[in-house]
């Protein structure tokens, strides 16, 4: 039987008195493209930060490849934060070299091709790029790894529709069948066509974790319609 | 992994500091040349021009010397501040333990500060003439073999003080990062509050120590006095090394506490904005 690449067991996270995640449990298997959906403040970013080892859970556990987040899981997890984290003073080739130095699974050729597609000069400083280009570059670096788990936090946030298309195609073209991809977003319509599964969070709890086709069949709605229906104010 | 982190840290810091070091060295060389020209052409026409140029270069050199130290300090503190900011999303995703990030930053901070001092001393050596015996003599005396012990002790104290200074600021930044919306303000407030608290603790310890010693029975005080006197008579000069070692241990202990608390905060309580 196939082993889950990702397991969350009774995962909770509290910030003071505020509960961001409440007893969340689910599994993700290799080869699946999972949409982590939910409105703002539903716990998506917290879940991904816990998975990337940037936060410690208040209760429960996360296992990636059978291990709790740490140095070992970071070697097999490729994480794209929801903000620009690349040092603006560095040049394109410096950052590429940094990724190549730290990640054994980093594919330099793939990265060079993707960055060439973006028409980036290797000597260009990151700080001189537009916000959209910075985000695309960050995504290219994240997807240039042959990781076993990709955690993409709001890769479509704040970019124009043309850039969204580029980003989604980049994700689809660059992940392997053995890897699982978790994409957090609230732009459901944009990602619906590419998802295998959806994990919907509501107020820190798992509202649904289903195959997208199953959910469409049962609800008689598209994922986007279902999302709007559930979260209608 | 540590070597790689250190490499990128040194590149990032060097990118800013090396041009300043080079500038300081070039200006020092120019000051040395104009000083010698000024001395050689002392009695000739045109001396005021050379003297003016020499003065201008001296002021510029002084600015670069100050910048070497100030920038080294500011850049290194800023690097740690950024680690707990948005860059932390990249850095803490690398397959390295939090203590390795901290160690790389600390090593680079101390190394670049020492390097700045060495550059400044080297540059000063360029334009200090033989007549400046008030500078050269104390250095010669300090490096003489008979004073080597005290020199090593002073160097160790300075290194531990420098490490402590950086670790104290790291700790303030780590505590300040608990308030992601007001990180800078929280770090500055922590700096003053912790400093005040440490002073209060020190004063209380001194008072308590004084009270304890004051209330010791006369016999016990006499025994301590006798022991110390005996020690200084039987093995002359043995009190200095013992006292020095105790002081060094206290510094190491203080640095160790600062390291442990900061490491705990960035590994168990990391709270990126």
């Amino acid at each position: 039987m196939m082993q889950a690449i990702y397991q969350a067991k009774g995962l909770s996270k509290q910030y003071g008195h505020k509960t961001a995640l409440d007893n969340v449990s689910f599994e993700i298997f290799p080869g699946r493209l999972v949409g982590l959906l939910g409105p703002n403040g539903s716990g998506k970013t917290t879940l991904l930060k816990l998975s990337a080892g940037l936060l410690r859970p208040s209760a429960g556990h996360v296992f990636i490849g059978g291990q709790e987040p740490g140095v070992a899981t970071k070697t097999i997890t490729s994480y794209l934060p929801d903000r620009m984290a690349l040092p603006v003073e560095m040049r394109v080739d410096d950052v590429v070299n940094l990724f190549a130095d730290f990640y054994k699974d980093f594919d330099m050729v793939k990265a060079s091709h993707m960055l060439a597609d973006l028409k980036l000069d290797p000597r260009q400083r990151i700080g001189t790029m537009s916000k959209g280009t910075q985000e695309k570059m960050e995504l290219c670096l994240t997807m240039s790894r042959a990781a076993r788990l990709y955690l993409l936090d709001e890769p479509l946030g704040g970019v124009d529709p043309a850039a969204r298309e580029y980003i989604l195609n980049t994700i689809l073209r660059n992940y392997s069948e053995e890897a699982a991809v978790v994409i957090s977003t609230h732009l459901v319509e944009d990602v619906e066509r590419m998802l295998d599964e959806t994990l919907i969070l509501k107020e820190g709890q798992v509202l649904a974790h289903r195959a997208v086709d199953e959910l469409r069949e049962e609800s008689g709605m598209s994922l986007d319609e279902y999302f709007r229906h559930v979260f209608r104010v | 992994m540590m070597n790689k982190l250190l490499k990128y840290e040194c590149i990032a810091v060097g990118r800013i500091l090396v041009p300043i070091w080079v500038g300081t060295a070039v200006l020092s060389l120019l000051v040395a040349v104009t000083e010698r020209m000024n001395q050689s052409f002392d009695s000739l026409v045109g001396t005021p021009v050379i003297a003016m140029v020499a003065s201008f270069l001296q002021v510029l050199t002084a600015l670069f010397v100050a910048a070497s130290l100030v920038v080294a300090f500011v850049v290194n503190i800023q690097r740690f501040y950024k680690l707990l900011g948005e860059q932390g999303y990249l850095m803490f995703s690398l397959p390295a333990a939090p203590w390795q990030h901290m160690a790389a930053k600390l090593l680079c901070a101390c190394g670049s500060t020492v390097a700045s001092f060495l550059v400044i001393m080297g540059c000063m050596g360029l334009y200090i003439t033989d007549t400046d015996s008030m500078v050269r003599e104390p250095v010669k005396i300090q490096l003489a073999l008979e004073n080597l012990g005290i020199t090593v002790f002073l160097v160790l104290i300075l290194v531990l003080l420098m490490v402590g200074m950086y670790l104290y600021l790291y700790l303030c930044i780590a505590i300040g990062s608990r308030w992601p919306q007001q990180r800078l303000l929280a770090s500055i407030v922590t700096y003053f509050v912790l400093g005040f608290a440490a002073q209060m603790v020190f004063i209380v310890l001194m008072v308590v120590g004084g009270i304890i010693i004051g209330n010791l029975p006369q016999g016990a005080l006499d025994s301590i006095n006798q022991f110390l006197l005996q020690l200084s008579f039987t093995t002359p000069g043995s009190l200095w090394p013992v006292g020095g070692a105790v002081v060094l241990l206290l510094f190491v202990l203080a640095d160790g506490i600062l390291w442990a608390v900061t490491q705990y905060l960035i590994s168990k309580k990391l709270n990126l904005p």
Side-chain angles (χ1 to χ4, degrees):
Chain A
M1 191 186 154
M2 193 186 271
Q3 286 277 311
I5 181 70
Y6 182 101
Q7 288 175 296
K9 290 183 178 173
L11 195 60
S12 297
K13 179 68 188 175
Q14 287 188 306
Y15 298 105
H17 295 297
K18 189 176 174 272
T19 302
L21 278 181
D22 185 10
N23 197 24
V24 167
S25 299
F26 65 94
E27 289 185 341
I28 295 172
F29 289 89
R32 307 293 283 174
L33 225 149
V34 183
L36 178 59
L37 312 178
N40 293 332
S42 57
K44 302 187 298 289
T45 294
T46 300
L47 178 62
L48 293 184
K49 280 167 88 172
L50 285 165
S51 311
L54 301 181
L55 279 178
R56 296 261 172 165
S58 306
H61 299 275
V62 173
F63 296 101
I64 296 170
Q67 290 178 291
E68 295 211 61
V71 175
T73 62
K74 287 172 186 176
T75 60
I76 58 168
T77 306
S78 194
Y79 169 63
L80 177 75
D82 63 343
R83 63 199 66 212
M84 231 297 288
L86 302 177
V88 288
E89 69 275 11
M90 285 178 97
R91 295 177 194 277
V92 172
D93 55 356
D94 292 335
V95 182
V96 171
N97 288 333
L98 183 138
F99 269 69
D101 258 0
F102 281 95
Y103 299 113
K104 284 181 188 158
D105 59 7
F106 185 75
D107 187 337
M108 193 82 141
V109 177
K110 194 196 256 188
S112 302
H113 283 145
M114 280 200 258
L115 295 173
D117 286 347
L118 288 175
K119 298 183 175 54
L120 288 177
D121 175 6
R123 299 302 295 156
Q124 189 177 353
R125 284 197 195 279
I126 291 163
T128 64
M129 296 173 189
S130 69
K131 187 174 171 281
T133 309
Q134 287 176 347
E135 287 183 3
K136 284 183 215 164
M137 182 182 168
E138 210 172 3
L139 177 77
C140 288
L141 293 167
T142 307
M143 297 311 295
S144 294
R145 289 182 55 198
R148 291 179 61 200
L149 176 68
Y150 296 88
L151 302 170
L152 312 177
D153 194 0
E154 299 282 2
L156 307 175
V159 293
D160 59 73
R164 280 183 212 160
E165 195 65 29
Y166 172 86
I167 288 167
L168 293 176
N169 287 334
T170 305
I171 296 167
L172 281 177
R173 274 202 304 263
N174 292 289
Y175 88 98
S176 76
E177 284 300 305
E178 294 80 47
V181 183
V182 180
I183 303 177
S184 138
T185 186
H186 51 261
L187 299 167
V188 186
E189 197 179 3
D190 289 299
V191 294
E192 182 168 354
R193 65 183 165 86
M194 60 191 273
L195 298 179
D196 298 313
E197 289 174 27
T198 178
L199 179 78
I200 303 178
L201 291 180
K202 186 179 183 184
E203 291 166 6
Q205 293 182 322
V206 177
L207 183 75
H209 181 203
R210 317 279 290 278
V212 173
D213 290 341
E214 256 178 50
L215 195 134
R216 280 196 203 108
E217 254 175 53
E218 286 175 18
S219 65
M221 292 184 259
S222 70
L223 184 58
D224 185 47
E225 287 166 342
Y226 180 81
F227 184 84
R228 286 170 197 271
H229 173 73
V230 169
F231 294 107
R232 186 173 294 144
V233 183
Chain B
M1 209 48 72
M2 187 66 202
N3 289 345
K4 289 176 187 171
L5 287 174
L6 200 53
K7 178 181 117 183
Y8 280 95
E9 200 56 38
C10 290
I11 289 172
V13 172
R15 194 177 285 139
I16 298 164
L17 280 181
V18 169
I20 297 175
W21 291 341
V22 172
T24 311
V26 170
L27 281 170
S28 301
L29 200 65
L30 287 173
V31 167
V33 170
T34 48
E35 273 293 308
R36 276 164 180 74
M37 280 171 72
N38 207 13
Q39 283 166 11
S40 308
F41 301 129
D42 208 11
S43 55
L44 298 177
V45 182
T47 307
V49 177
I50 297 172
M52 275 171 64
V53 171
S55 303
F56 174 70
L57 286 173
Q58 277 170 1
V59 171
L60 213 56
T61 310
L63 286 175
F64 266 75
V65 165
S68 299
L69 287 174
V70 173
V71 174
F73 174 75
V74 171
V75 165
N76 283 301
I77 293 304
Q78 201 185 32
R79 297 281 307 160
F80 192 80
Y81 184 77
K82 282 184 178 175
L83 178 71
L84 299 187
E86 299 205 328
Q87 275 181 22
Y89 285 90
L90 171 72
M91 300 311 288
F92 287 112
S93 298
L94 298 175
W99 73 263
Q100 289 177 314
H101 288 286
M102 202 172 132
K105 294 241 180 292
L106 184 63
L107 280 172
C108 185
C110 292
S112 56
T113 307
V114 170
S116 282
F117 268 111
L118 293 177
V119 167
I120 291 168
M121 285 172 72
C123 290
M124 283 171 76
L126 285 174
Y127 53 81
I128 290 173
T129 56
D130 289 337
T131 50
D132 295 327
S133 55
M134 58 186 272
V135 177
R136 286 187 187 272
E137 277 311 306
V139 174
K140 271 185 194 166
I141 291 168
Q142 205 59 57
L143 291 176
L145 201 58
E146 61 268 25
N147 294 325
L148 209 57
I150 193 90
T151 306
V152 169
F153 173 74
L154 287 174
V155 168
L156 283 175
I157 286 286
L158 283 175
V159 169
L160 288 170
L161 268 173
M162 179 176 59
V163 170
M165 175 192 73
Y166 277 117
L167 283 174
Y168 178 67
L169 290 165
Y170 287 180
L171 176 63
C172 294
I173 293 169
I175 293 173
S177 72
R178 307 287 303 145
W179 291 270
Q181 306 303 320
Q182 300 288 343
R183 270 195 321 134
L184 185 60
L185 182 67
S187 304
I188 293 169
V189 170
T190 306
Y191 176 85
F192 288 110
V193 170
L194 268 187
F196 178 74
Q199 280 178 22
M200 286 301 111
V201 169
F202 187 71
I203 289 170
V204 168
L205 284 177
M206 294 286 280
V207 170
V208 169
I211 291 170
I212 290 172
I213 290 172
N215 287 325
L216 277 177
Q218 194 55 45
L221 283 174
D222 289 344
S223 307
I224 294 170
N225 271 339
Q226 208 171 0
F227 170 73
L228 293 175
L229 278 171
Q230 217 170 13
L231 198 67
S232 59
F233 279 126
T234 49
T235 47
S238 62
L239 278 181
W240 275 110
V242 172
V246 169
V247 170
L248 284 177
L249 270 176
L250 286 174
F251 273 94
V252 170
L253 184 70
D255 288 356
I257 292 170
L258 290 171
W259 169 277
V261 179
T262 311
Q263 197 203 321
Y264 171 79
L265 287 173
I266 68 165
S267 46
K268 308 272 188 210
K269 301 280 177 191
L270 186 65
N271 192 18
L272 298 176

